[in-house]
Amino acid sequence: MAVGTSRPSKSAAELAGKSVGSPAAPSAASAYSAPAGPPLGLGDLGIDPDDLPDGLVVADEAGLVVCFNAAAVRITATSRAQAMGLPLEHVLPLEDLKGRRWWPLTDPYGGLATRVGQPERNLLLPGVREVLVSARYIRETPTGPVRRVVVTLRGTEARRRTERSHAELIATVAHELRSPLTSVKGFTATLLAKWERFTDDQKRLMLETVDADADRVTRLIAELLDISRIDSGRLEVRRQPVDIAAAVSRHIQAQTARGQSPDRFFVRVEQGLPALWADPDKIDQVLGNLLENAVRHGEGTVTIEVAPASGEPGEREAKGTAVTVSDEGPGIPEESMGRVFTRFWRGSKRGGTGLGLYIVKGIVEAHGGTITVGRGPRGGAEFRFILPVGAPAYLG
């Protein structure tokens, strides 16, 4: 069934409200006939009520149900035959979270003539099932009698998942901030109170600890900002020519400067790499995260391979650049493979916020690329990301 795409999307209540604005009709079919005039309804747009993702319930001027779509059947566990023609408050015996009956409280037919509806809120159906309910009152004139009550129903699962995700994020941030801030506060308070009692070496050690903890806080804030941009689709990619082999070399040098043996890293760069246009800072972030994970959570030699990524089988021209990072550790259990790139996933208890790989995936996908995880040839974890060939639009 064709649905017009040139108009802004509207909620089920808005679409239904325009289509049932005419006087009361005895059947559900007439509830969707467009009134004479410019506003378009469901029928004009070629939409069947059963195609709507939200539950839609429409009652006529007598309060009797004239429409009960498939989503409403699913959400309420009430069949269409049990709903059609019955009073709205019997079909939807809603209560608020305090146990008060919702229809007597809102009184759509006998309440204030200036009311246009009810905003979305959590209500309960029998069996203590939560649903998100909103309503719109359709009148022929601004303060005339209500001719239709249009109710939309949505399950609460998606909202609960979002709320849980937000709660987990807040809990993680609070936990990660508490430790470094406690350390910073403790050392600075001690230094201020007993400065003269400490040697220069002791003062330096305390200040170095404060500096490291401040870096942890800065890094966490940067991760939170990245997550916010990824989730809202606002992660900006400023493409420039990137020498991926040189970037890998820089990160290995940084690891050896922190005490890792140069022998722990093996780099293989194939010839004929295509020109890579990407955001250098964000590619550094991806490489840094993957190498740090391999060093911290893996074992043995960390292998980094950079090679052209071909397109369809048989094609000679490279379609992008593939970077593979693998180690020789225990690897990632098969049952955890699907959760590696989700928020708060940790491969071990060796520190970290569990946000890094989520951000890595967001950065790679913002470049139009892909990233996968699997088991390396020597049993450890293997991460492989592919960045497509591309250039800024002004060079196209």
Side-chain angles (χ1 to χ4, degrees):
M1 180 176 296
V3 179
T5 57
S6 60
R7 299 177 180 275
S9 61
K10 297 180 179 293
S11 68
E14 290 175 314
L15 288 170
K18 287 188 176 182
S19 65
V20 297
S22 55
S27 67
S30 63
Y32 297 96
S33 61
L40 295 177
L42 294 175
D44 299 289
L45 295 175
I47 301 175
D48 187 291
D50 287 343
D51 293 334
L52 296 173
D54 296 339
L56 177 64
V57 182
V58 182
D60 62 15
E61 62 183 358
L64 303 180
V65 173
V66 294
C67 173
F68 202 77
N69 75 345
V73 172
R74 173 177 52 81
I75 292 170
T76 65
T78 301
S79 70
R80 204 187 311 262
Q82 293 174 312
M84 295 297 290
L86 293 180
L88 181 60
E89 60 183 298
H90 292 170
V91 175
L92 297 177
L94 297 165
E95 295 182 352
D96 65 15
L97 300 183
K98 295 181 179 179
R100 297 174 299 186
R101 295 170 59 197
W102 194 56
W103 295 112
L105 280 176
T106 57
D107 193 12
Y109 294 96
L112 292 174
T114 56
R115 285 182 180 167
V116 295
Q118 295 291 332
E120 187 176 71
R121 66 190 66 194
N122 276 35
L123 295 174
L124 300 175
L125 284 169
V128 197
R129 286 178 296 138
E130 283 193 45
V131 288
L132 298 170
V133 182
S134 60
R136 185 177 177 191
Y137 306 155
I138 310 302
R139 309 174 191 269
E140 290 180 339
T141 60
T143 58
V146 173
R147 296 298 186 183
R148 291 286 189 276
V149 173
V150 182
V151 181
T152 57
L153 308 171
R154 293 195 299 134
T156 60
E157 294 81 7
R159 176 175 287 187
R160 286 192 177 280
R161 284 195 298 270
T162 301
E163 290 174 349
R164 281 197 299 269
S165 178
H166 289 167
E168 289 172 354
L169 182 60
I170 292 171
T172 299
V173 171
H175 174 76
E176 295 296 329
L177 285 175
R178 183 182 299 116
S179 176
L181 290 179
T182 300
S183 172
V184 168
K185 177 61 178 175
F187 279 121
T188 54
T190 301
L191 285 170
L192 288 172
K194 303 177 181 180
W195 179 267
E196 302 296 336
R197 299 185 185 182
F198 296 109
T199 65
D200 288 345
D201 288 341
Q202 290 173 325
K203 292 174 183 176
R204 176 178 292 277
L205 177 61
M206 291 184 184
L207 290 174
E208 287 175 347
T209 304
V210 169
D211 184 64
D213 286 334
D215 286 341
R216 284 178 60 190
V217 173
T218 302
R219 186 164 55 250
L220 177 59
I221 292 172
E223 288 181 343
L224 293 175
L225 290 173
D226 284 336
I227 286 177
S228 173
R229 295 185 184 108
I230 290 169
D231 289 347
S232 62
R234 295 185 292 106
L235 186 67
E236 294 184 4
V237 174
R238 296 180 173 86
R239 295 182 185 272
Q240 302 174 31
V242 173
D243 185 340
I244 191 70
V248 170
S249 178
R250 284 198 311 273
H251 282 281
I252 291 177
Q253 290 174 6
Q255 288 290 335
T256 55
R258 296 185 193 121
Q260 293 295 325
S261 170
D263 296 335
R264 189 173 182 189
F265 302 95
F266 176 76
V267 181
R268 181 187 297 118
V269 180
E270 293 190 13
Q271 299 299 314
L273 293 176
L276 176 61
W277 287 78
D279 189 315
D281 293 335
K282 290 182 171 53
I283 297 307
D284 276 343
Q285 196 172 349
V286 170
L287 290 173
N289 190 288
L290 294 181
L291 278 174
E292 186 174 342
N293 278 350
V295 169
R296 179 185 297 175
H297 305 295
E299 297 174 4
T301 301
V302 176
T303 302
I304 304 97
E305 299 179 81
V306 183
S310 59
E312 297 297 326
E315 289 187 2
R316 294 184 179 180
E317 183 179 356
K319 295 299 182 182
T321 301
V323 180
T324 305
V325 179
S326 60
D327 62 72
E328 299 175 348
I332 298 171
E334 290 293 333
E335 62 271 16
S336 298
M337 291 286 187
R339 297 186 288 111
V340 167
F341 297 109
T342 59
R343 291 183 186 180
F344 312 118
W345 184 85
R346 289 182 173 91
S348 70
K349 296 182 179 179
R350 301 181 194 175
T353 61
L355 301 174
L357 290 175
Y358 178 84
I359 294 171
V360 163
K361 182 174 185 287
I363 290 174
V364 171
E365 291 180 347
H367 281 81
T370 58
I371 184 167
T372 56
V373 61
R375 189 168 293 280
R378 298 188 180 182
E382 179 181 276
F383 289 88
R384 174 182 169 87
F385 67 91
I386 299 176
L387 299 174
V389 172
Y394 64 82
L395 294 180

